[in-house]
Amino acid sequence: MTVTGIITAIVIGAIIGLLGRLFAPGKQNISILVTIIVGIIAALLGTALANAVSSADTPGIDWIELLFQVVLAVIGVIIAARMLGGRRRV
């Protein structure tokens, strides 16, 4: 993977993670770093899932892939918030 690919994955992951956090119900007490990591994982899994469901190459924005990514990010943010958000720091 090139440096450009890594930077692109981080930027897209941050956007997907923030969208997931936006659509997740309730308050999430997780850091932005956790949100970005969840977004990167959701983007990768969403792309793989969209490619498994549909092999058609769409011109422009692939809305089905984006939908899969955001839904997976919402699920990931909810799971991360439940696992990490309840901790109290002393």
Side-chain angles (χ1 to χ4, degrees):
M1 184 175 254
T2 64
V3 173
T4 306
I6 293 171
I7 293 171
T8 304
I10 292 171
V11 170
I12 298 298
I15 293 168
I16 296 294
L18 291 173
L19 284 172
R21 195 169 180 163
L22 176 71
F23 291 122
K27 186 175 186 227
Q28 300 84 30
N29 289 328
I30 56 175
S31 69
I32 191 70
L33 181 63
V34 173
T35 304
I36 292 171
I37 292 170
V38 167
I40 291 170
I41 294 169
L44 293 172
L45 289 175
T47 300
L49 187 61
N51 288 337
V53 171
S54 173
S55 62
D57 189 24
T58 59
I61 298 174
D62 189 354
W63 295 105
I64 302 294
E65 180 179 349
L66 183 63
L67 180 67
F68 281 139
Q69 291 171 338
V70 172
V71 168
L72 288 172
V74 169
I75 294 168
V77 165
I78 291 170
I79 291 171
R82 290 211 175 136
M83 290 176 59
L84 302 173
R87 295 184 182 169
R88 291 189 175 186
R89 296 187 178 132
V90 179

